[in-house]
Amino acid sequence: MSHPHPELSQPPGLAAHGLRVVALGGLGEIGRNMTVFEHKGRLLIVDCGVLFPEADQPGVDLILPDFGYLEGRLDRVEAVVLTHAHEDHIGAVPYLLREREDIPLVGSRLTLALVRSKLTEHHLVPETVEVREGNHGSFGPFELEFFSVNHSIPDALAVAIRTQAGVVLHTGDFKMDQLPLDGRLTDLAGFARLGGEGVDLLMSDSTNAEVPGIVRSERDIAPVLDDVFDNAEQRIIVACFASHVHRVQQVLDAAAAHRRKVAFVGRSMVRNMGVARDLGYLRVPGGLLIDLREAEEMPPGDVVLISTGSQGEPMSALSRMAVRDHQIRIASGDTVILASSLIPGNETAVYRVINGLTRLGARVVHKESALVHVSGHAPAGELLYVLNLVKPRNFMPVHGEWRHLRAHARLAALTGVPAKRIVIAEDGVVVDLVDGKASITGAVPCGYVYVDGLTVGEVTETQLKDRRILGEEGFISVIMVVDATSGKIAGGPEIHARGSGIDDGAFSEVLPRLEDALERAAADGIGDVHALRQLARRVVGKWVSDNYRRRPMIIPVVVEV
Amino acid sequence: MSHPHPELSQPPGLAAHGLRVVALGGLGEIGRNMTVFEHKGRLLIVDCGVLFPEADQPGVDLILPDFGYLEGRLDRVEAVVLTHAHEDHIGAVPYLLREREDIPLVGSRLTLALVRSKLTEHHLVPETVEVREGNHGSFGPFELEFFSVNHSIPDALAVAIRTQAGVVLHTGDFKMDQLPLDGRLTDLAGFARLGGEGVDLLMSDSTNAEVPGIVRSERDIAPVLDDVFDNAEQRIIVACFASHVHRVQQVLDAAAAHRRKVAFVGRSMVRNMGVARDLGYLRVPGGLLIDLREAEEMPPGDVVLISTGSQGEPMSALSRMAVRDHQIRIASGDTVILASSLIPGNETAVYRVINGLTRLGARVVHKESALVHVSGHAPAGELLYVLNLVKPRNFMPVHGEWRHLRAHARLAALTGVPAKRIVIAEDGVVVDLVDGKASITGAVPCGYVYVDGLTVGEVTETQLKDRRILGEEGFISVIMVVDATSGKIAGGPEIHARGSGIDDGAFSEVLPRLEDALERAAADGIGDVHALRQLARRVVGKWVSDNYRRRPMIIPVVVEV
């Protein structure tokens, strides 16, 4: 198995009949999926999602794929294929369309509807091409064919990309529930047919490649919900992802069976379920839905709330209920169901919400205590079916951190893909499919692009490093006023500190030392601004380190008057 | 079930024959376990541990129990019973002994040995009383009896506390491996005998109360290790807790069976295993151990390293190996085993290490991919045995977050403890056992005490709040120099920012506005320091909010010359 090395450099030009594959996100991470295919000078993009920041990316709202690779070539983009409407696949579309608004978006009915409603918030009206499973379409030199796949959002698609370089199958995100709620199976027959024709490169979802076995069916959750509803005394609150139409469907069905009314809580939940209902993906029995205000006034035992906030997001309704900062007041006898995954990194936040709700008297049911969630991604047992049916000549695991990509590569090797035909690539790594062989030929710059407030890409790694230091250690600023003519200290030094953990009074201990040092420096004729700053940093830094064993950011400022 | 309310106030005096129980840590959290028992004016403490900080407690090294409750009464403390030598049970002992050095520490042989070696680093030599299972001892009005319990560290004890108020059984941390490696079972026979006598209050470990069933035996890990060792080509690195003597024993045994030499990596691993070996808790075959330097020079296939760092601690050897910043260079064919739990909150750090090692070519085996870890805490199925054998008159779940305490309370109710005799308390809540009935009678102040660098308790919630803002948003300081005589601006305004995500050049846009505002204020005769600061904060704050939709900390500074 080949994998990238830091020494990878700009790749050579692509062979005339070759296909170039470069992921700008989604490889080595779960999120911001975006893959650029290049053939005969034209580009096709599959997915354009966002990544959510981790704790060491403080203050960042979103992370985008690095569009730098497309600079000066956006006019060559034939289309963006969106495999499904999860944020990690569509979230960066508004930012891409800011660069070129008329790039056609290709996707299924529900996917496009959800993308459109998101773009409306950005005041963008996209060009769209609606497709469905079985459809074929040509976009420049790229011949596309779409296949149904089963995932945790309806209407997801896999896409085959035919070019003169060969056939690529990109699965998108999928699992293989054999009894899906909507009867729409992952199209194994289609994959098998394609495999029979010959697939030159399979790119397949690696998220659960480390997990053995298969996923339980979505419909196995129904009896569990039924049981929890049976035992619920007062209000029931179900938190899940705002795009999980089938999960919400099951909650609606359970509510109807238990003669409870339902209110949606949370902006994205209300918006998405409106879209899903309008298009017929969500079946809502007449009279079932009420609004939150009505729900508040009904007896708690007659109500179900379906809410966002399953990941412990601090501003979500559920988090606010857990700290009694929401119009819905949790009380003894209430039942809360977290019918969702627990995304790694969110554990502390989620357990805090669970503890808060429990403390207020609620019974909290979550995936660790009952089968109220099944994953949307195929684990090892299901991935093997795809590998065996498609029999790819080359394999490239996608959609995963290194541990997932490596585990998926191992599965491919077990099904007989030769090790040298398995390519593990990271973001920015260039994979060329030429003469039926996929190989790494180089790498292009591919960084994190941070969205923070209204700015995109202005927050840099240096700014984040500063934030990390400030967040851990606080800062101490030392202000000195210098007479520009005489070079003498005219005011200060003053010390101001925040978050340093040092009592303000304590600085009276170091100030005289600093004054002495400044006087000595003046006597020695050292008076330039840079030297004074260095001196202040050294004196105060040493004092803090000796007395507190800490390393706050020390910021010496010299103001000339 | 009664549980505390924020309106709880200082409790009334304790009845002359009553027993007061106040946890200063460990209730509503996993960590800093410390319970104070009071009877006839005398105090007994069980455990004295630390809590590790979470992401929203930035820069904090450790969190201590709040000793404030003991202020002015330390001379009444008869003893501190240490149930076992985990950090969350012994870590705060050095800080308590700083308050009164001669408090006797009561514990088993291994517990005291590990505590002593920790205290040596703090230049403290404790008074100790060594006890073992079956022992009885009197400490003032407290009659103690000790029971063996099985846990993830050898030589753990439960303690029964007899006073005129009744009999309390405190389990400490335990599980019920029925085939423990050292043959030392949790003493169910003793618990049953005590239950027969009558236990007035059971305080039992709730950590795994949400988990159904029982724990697999520690020895079930051996065949898994054997299999991983069989398939390992090059170096094997096993990361686990530095106190898990039995886990290390199994790795030593597997290494010996596979004719590999072993080196310990990490200060606490080397120290603890030295103690455990000297006392006979760890059996090391002759010639098995080598030092790290020797290990580096041997063929990788002949070596096992046993290391700390299983929680992804950034400065640990394992984390540094994952980023190639360690003398041990991970290479393709190496095998890393994380033979440990994954403490909630550490997921991001641990997966980062796994991904880093995988990227370098190592195979990483962890508890989600193989049975290389079993928990040290009894899950629901085992907790029921204890409840049924002890048949307590009153029950108080301990050692857990709210979700664990509540789940344990539910188990107690199922075994027949009357709901009104189940007390769920938080840190600082006062539980009085009087006339055979336990009830909440009030609460005492009980905050977090932060250790940061060399200081204890100096980092306040305000400082942490500042750090959180600085870490998320950075700061902007606005410096103005004012002539003290004339009240006029003599220098500045200057703007200095760090971590704000705003390019330094951009401030040239707001500076003229600020200068204008300052001039207008001067014309209006507004010149006092406070008003100038307010003005600068308002002007700059509005500009940042309008243009960037962010809220950095804004720090206006007026220096008078």
Side-chain angles (χ1 to χ4, degrees):
Chain A
M1 298 173 209
S2 46
H3 66 81
H5 302 278
E7 59 272 22
L8 283 177
S9 54
Q10 199 70 22
L14 176 62
H17 54 289
L19 176 76
R20 177 159 287 178
V21 186
V22 180
L24 303 182
L27 297 188
E29 65 203 354
I30 302 238
R32 62 166 192 161
N33 295 283
M34 180 170 184
T35 310
V36 181
F37 294 87
E38 180 179 348
H39 183 60
K40 297 190 179 293
R42 306 300 295 176
L43 305 175
L44 178 81
I45 295 172
V46 174
D47 290 328
C48 185
V50 292
L51 173 69
F52 294 99
E54 295 191 344
D56 63 347
Q57 292 157 327
V60 171
D61 300 324
L62 292 171
I63 303 169
L64 306 182
D66 187 344
F67 300 151
Y69 177 62
L70 298 172
E71 206 177 296
R73 305 197 295 162
L74 276 166
D75 57 320
R76 301 193 199 169
V77 177
E78 298 286 351
V80 177
V81 174
L82 301 171
T83 59
H84 63 283
H86 279 152
E87 284 299 308
D88 58 331
H89 293 257
I90 65 165
V93 169
Y95 301 93
L96 183 65
L97 294 195
R98 279 192 204 173
E99 308 284 323
R100 184 188 140 201
E101 199 172 338
D102 66 346
I103 302 177
L105 306 181
V106 182
S108 69
R109 189 154 169 246
L110 180 65
T111 302
L112 291 181
L114 292 172
V115 170
R116 257 185 234 110
S117 99
K118 164 185 278 292
L119 288 173
T120 303
E121 294 175 5
H122 287 261
H123 312 292
L124 289 164
V125 181
E127 308 272 331
T128 58
V129 180
E130 190 179 306
V131 294
R132 49 170 292 140
E133 49 269 34
N135 285 175
H136 292 251
S138 278
F139 297 87
F142 305 96
E143 305 273 334
L144 307 187
E145 179 181 355
F146 299 93
F147 300 85
S148 63
V149 290
N150 168 241
H151 186 42
S152 46
I153 186 169
D155 230 8
L157 293 170
V159 58
I161 305 166
R162 289 188 174 84
T163 63
Q164 285 180 18
V167 178
V168 176
L169 175 59
H170 190 302
T171 64
D173 292 6
F174 77 103
K175 61 174 170 174
M176 302 209 296
D177 194 335
Q178 291 301 297
L179 297 166
L181 235 41
D182 59 2
R184 190 172 173 277
L185 293 155
T186 291
D187 185 7
L188 288 185
F191 288 1
R193 181 200 12 102
L194 209 66
E197 288 174 32
V199 169
D200 295 286
L201 177 63
L202 172 64
M203 301 170 73
S204 179
D205 176 4
S206 310
T207 314
N208 271 342
E210 282 191 309
V211 179
I214 64 165
V215 176
R216 298 284 296 268
S217 176
E218 175 69 28
R219 65 177 73 213
D220 290 347
I221 293 175
V224 180
L225 286 179
D226 195 57
D227 182 59
V228 176
F229 274 57
D230 274 346
N231 289 295
E233 299 160 25
Q234 303 291 332
R235 198 181 276 120
I236 297 175
I237 300 167
V238 184
C240 69
F241 283 110
S243 59
H244 205 317
V245 178
H246 291 165
R247 190 68 45 81
V248 170
Q249 183 69 61
Q250 301 208 90
V251 178
L252 294 183
D253 295 347
H258 288 80
R259 299 176 189 286
R260 284 176 181 252
K261 301 287 185 186
V262 175
F264 290 122
V265 185
R267 199 170 55 96
S268 55
M269 183 66 79
V270 172
R271 186 189 70 185
N272 289 355
M273 291 308 133
V275 171
R277 185 191 188 178
D278 291 346
L279 298 182
Y281 292 92
L282 187 73
R283 299 179 314 277
V284 184
L288 184 71
L289 285 188
I290 54 175
D291 69 24
L292 186 57
R293 220 165 286 268
E294 291 173 90
E296 276 179 81
E297 279 157 24
M298 289 177 68
D302 294 348
V303 171
V304 177
L305 305 178
I306 303 180
S307 168
T308 54
S310 66
Q311 297 305 307
E313 302 89 333
M315 299 312 293
S316 69
L318 198 69
S319 288
R320 289 190 289 119
M321 289 177 206
V323 294
R324 281 202 183 274
D325 177 32
H326 192 270
Q327 64 210 89
I328 299 294
R329 308 287 285 180
I330 297 293
S332 186
D334 286 352
T335 302
V336 179
I337 305 172
L338 295 183
S340 60
S341 64
L342 206 180
I343 295 175
N346 295 345
E347 289 82 359
T348 308
V350 170
Y351 289 132
R352 182 169 299 166
V353 170
I354 294 176
N355 284 322
L357 296 166
T358 306
R359 187 177 186 284
L360 295 172
R363 178 185 172 210
V364 183
V365 179
H366 54 103
K367 77 184 188 90
E368 280 161 43
S369 59
L371 185 70
V372 291
H373 172 71
V374 296
S375 173
H377 299 271
E382 299 178 5
L383 294 174
L384 289 168
Y385 280 82
V386 172
L387 284 159
N388 282 326
L389 285 169
V390 174
K391 297 185 290 292
R393 298 203 179 98
N394 298 275
F395 177 66
M396 178 172 162
V398 296
H399 205 283
E401 301 169 9
W402 264 92
R403 58 196 179 107
H404 308 120
L405 302 179
R406 180 80 70 179
H408 204 174
R410 204 174 296 122
L411 294 175
L414 288 171
T415 65
V417 182
K420 62 171 69 158
R421 295 300 182 91
I422 299 173
V423 179
I424 303 184
E426 294 183 297
D427 294 344
V429 166
V430 176
V431 176
D432 287 345
L433 177 66
V434 180
D435 297 331
K437 179 163 178 11
S439 50
I440 289 175
T441 57
V444 297
C446 187
Y448 286 120
V449 176
Y450 299 110
V451 178
D452 184 353
L454 294 179
T455 65
V456 178
E458 288 193 17
V459 170
T460 59
E461 297 296 340
T462 311
Q463 295 267 4
L464 290 186
K465 195 178 164 201
D466 281 351
R467 286 185 187 172
R468 285 191 286 266
I469 295 170
L470 288 168
E472 288 281 310
E473 303 273 1
F475 75 91
I476 297 176
S477 68
V478 185
I479 298 160
M480 297 157 283
V481 181
V482 169
D483 186 309
T485 0
S486 70
K488 284 191 178 154
I489 299 286
E494 279 194 19
I495 289 183
H496 296 261
R498 294 298 282 273
S500 70
I502 299 170
D503 201 67
D504 275 349
F507 294 114
S508 60
E509 198 186 296
V510 70
L511 272 173
R513 290 191 210 186
L514 180 58
E515 282 159 15
D516 283 358
L518 289 171
E519 269 171 39
R520 274 201 308 277
D524 294 349
I526 301 161
D528 73 291
V529 167
H530 179 73
L532 289 178
R533 282 212 300 253
Q534 289 282 73
L535 185 68
R537 190 195 308 275
R538 200 168 56 236
V539 171
V540 176
K542 183 173 170 6
W543 174 78
V544 174
S545 170
D546 290 351
N547 288 278
Y548 297 89
R549 213 167 292 164
R550 290 202 205 122
R551 304 194 147 275
M553 189 182 280
I554 295 177
I555 301 160
V557 177
V558 176
V559 185
E560 289 184 308
V561 292
Chain B
M1 297 173 208
S2 46
H3 66 81
H5 301 279
E7 60 272 21
L8 283 177
S9 54
Q10 200 68 24
L14 175 64
H17 54 289
L19 176 75
R20 176 158 288 177
V21 185
V22 181
L24 303 183
L27 297 187
E29 65 201 356
I30 303 240
R32 63 167 193 161
N33 294 282
M34 179 170 184
T35 310
V36 181
F37 295 87
E38 179 178 350
H39 183 61
K40 297 189 177 297
R42 306 300 295 175
L43 306 175
L44 178 81
I45 295 172
V46 173
D47 290 328
C48 186
V50 291
L51 173 67
F52 294 99
E54 294 187 348
D56 64 344
Q57 292 159 325
V60 171
D61 300 323
L62 293 171
I63 303 169
L64 305 183
D66 187 345
F67 300 150
Y69 177 64
L70 298 172
E71 205 177 300
R73 305 196 296 161
L74 276 166
D75 57 320
R76 300 193 199 167
V77 176
E78 297 286 352
V80 178
V81 174
L82 300 171
T83 59
H84 62 286
H86 279 153
E87 283 300 308
D88 59 330
H89 293 258
I90 64 163
V93 168
Y95 301 92
L96 182 65
L97 294 195
R98 280 192 202 172
E99 308 285 320
R100 185 189 139 201
E101 197 172 338
D102 65 347
I103 302 177
L105 306 181
V106 182
S108 68
R109 189 156 169 246
L110 179 65
T111 302
L112 292 180
L114 292 172
V115 170
R116 256 185 234 109
S117 98
K118 164 185 277 296
L119 289 171
T120 304
E121 294 175 3
H122 288 260
H123 311 293
L124 289 163
V125 181
E127 308 271 331
T128 58
V129 181
E130 189 178 307
V131 294
R132 47 172 291 142
E133 49 270 33
N135 285 174
H136 292 251
S138 278
F139 297 86
F142 305 96
E143 307 272 336
L144 307 187
E145 180 180 355
F146 298 93
F147 300 85
S148 63
V149 289
N150 167 241
H151 187 40
S152 46
I153 186 170
D155 229 9
L157 293 170
V159 59
I161 305 165
R162 290 187 173 84
T163 65
Q164 285 181 16
V167 178
V168 177
L169 174 61
H170 191 302
T171 64
D173 292 5
F174 77 103
K175 61 174 170 175
M176 302 211 294
D177 194 335
Q178 292 301 296
L179 296 167
L181 274 192
D182 59 1
R184 190 172 172 276
L185 292 155
T186 290
D187 185 8
L188 288 185
F191 287 2
R193 180 201 12 102
L194 208 66
E197 288 174 30
V199 168
D200 295 285
L201 178 63
L202 171 65
M203 302 169 73
S204 179
D205 175 4
S206 308
T207 313
N208 271 342
E210 283 191 306
V211 179
I214 65 165
V215 176
R216 297 284 298 268
S217 176
E218 175 69 27
R219 65 177 75 212
D220 291 346
I221 293 175
V224 180
L225 287 179
D226 195 55
D227 182 58
V228 176
F229 274 56
D230 274 346
N231 289 295
E233 298 160 25
Q234 302 292 329
R235 200 182 271 122
I236 297 174
I237 300 168
V238 184
C240 70
F241 283 110
S243 60
H244 206 318
V245 177
H246 291 163
R247 190 69 43 84
V248 170
Q249 182 71 61
Q250 301 208 92
V251 178
L252 294 184
D253 295 347
H258 288 80
R259 299 177 189 286
R260 285 175 182 251
K261 301 288 184 186
V262 175
F264 290 123
V265 185
R267 199 169 56 95
S268 56
M269 184 66 80
V270 171
R271 185 190 71 185
N272 289 356
M273 291 308 133
V275 171
R277 183 189 190 179
D278 290 347
L279 297 181
Y281 293 91
L282 187 73
R283 298 180 316 277
V284 184
L288 185 71
L289 286 187
I290 54 175
D291 68 25
L292 186 56
R293 217 165 289 266
E294 291 174 89
E296 275 179 82
E297 280 157 24
M298 287 177 69
D302 294 349
V303 170
V304 177
L305 305 178
I306 303 180
S307 168
T308 53
S310 66
Q311 297 305 306
E313 302 89 334
M315 298 312 293
S316 68
L318 198 67
S319 289
R320 289 190 288 121
M321 288 177 208
V323 293
R324 282 204 182 271
D325 177 32
H326 192 272
Q327 64 209 90
I328 299 294
R329 308 286 285 182
I330 297 293
S332 185
D334 286 353
T335 302
V336 178
I337 306 172
L338 296 183
S340 60
S341 65
L342 206 180
I343 295 175
N346 295 346
E347 289 82 359
T348 309
V350 171
Y351 289 131
R352 182 166 302 166
V353 170
I354 293 176
N355 284 322
L357 295 166
T358 305
R359 188 177 186 285
L360 295 173
R363 177 183 173 210
V364 183
V365 179
H366 54 102
K367 78 185 187 88
E368 281 161 43
S369 59
L371 185 71
V372 291
H373 172 71
V374 296
S375 173
H377 299 272
E382 299 178 5
L383 295 174
L384 289 168
Y385 280 83
V386 172
L387 284 159
N388 282 326
L389 285 170
V390 173
K391 297 186 291 291
R393 297 200 180 98
N394 298 275
F395 177 66
M396 178 171 162
V398 296
H399 205 282
E401 301 169 9
W402 265 92
R403 59 196 177 106
H404 308 120
L405 301 178
R406 180 80 70 178
H408 204 175
R410 204 174 295 124
L411 295 175
L414 289 171
T415 64
V417 182
K420 62 171 68 160
R421 295 301 182 91
I422 298 174
V423 179
I424 303 185
E426 293 183 296
D427 294 343
V429 166
V430 176
V431 176
D432 286 345
L433 177 66
V434 180
D435 297 332
K437 179 164 179 9
S439 51
I440 290 173
T441 58
V444 298
C446 186
Y448 286 119
V449 176
Y450 300 110
V451 177
D452 184 352
L454 293 178
T455 66
V456 179
E458 286 192 19
V459 171
T460 60
E461 297 296 340
T462 311
Q463 296 267 3
L464 289 187
K465 196 178 162 201
D466 281 350
R467 286 185 188 173
R468 284 192 288 265
I469 296 170
L470 288 169
E472 288 281 311
E473 304 272 3
F475 75 91
I476 297 176
S477 68
V478 185
I479 298 160
M480 296 156 284
V481 181
V482 169
D483 186 309
T485 1
S486 69
K488 285 193 178 151
I489 299 285
E494 277 194 19
I495 290 185
H496 295 260
R498 295 297 283 270
S500 69
I502 299 171
D503 200 68
D504 276 349
F507 293 114
S508 61
E509 196 185 301
V510 68
L511 271 174
R513 291 191 209 186
L514 181 58
E515 281 160 15
D516 282 358
L518 289 171
E519 268 170 38
R520 276 200 308 277
D524 295 349
I526 301 160
D528 72 289
V529 168
H530 178 71
L532 290 178
R533 282 210 300 251
Q534 290 282 75
L535 184 67
R537 191 194 307 275
R538 201 167 55 236
V539 171
V540 177
K542 184 172 171 1
W543 175 79
V544 174
S545 171
D546 290 351
N547 289 278
Y548 297 89
R549 213 167 293 161
R550 291 201 204 123
R551 306 193 145 279
M553 190 182 278
I554 296 177
I555 302 160
V557 177
V558 176
V559 185
E560 289 183 308
V561 291

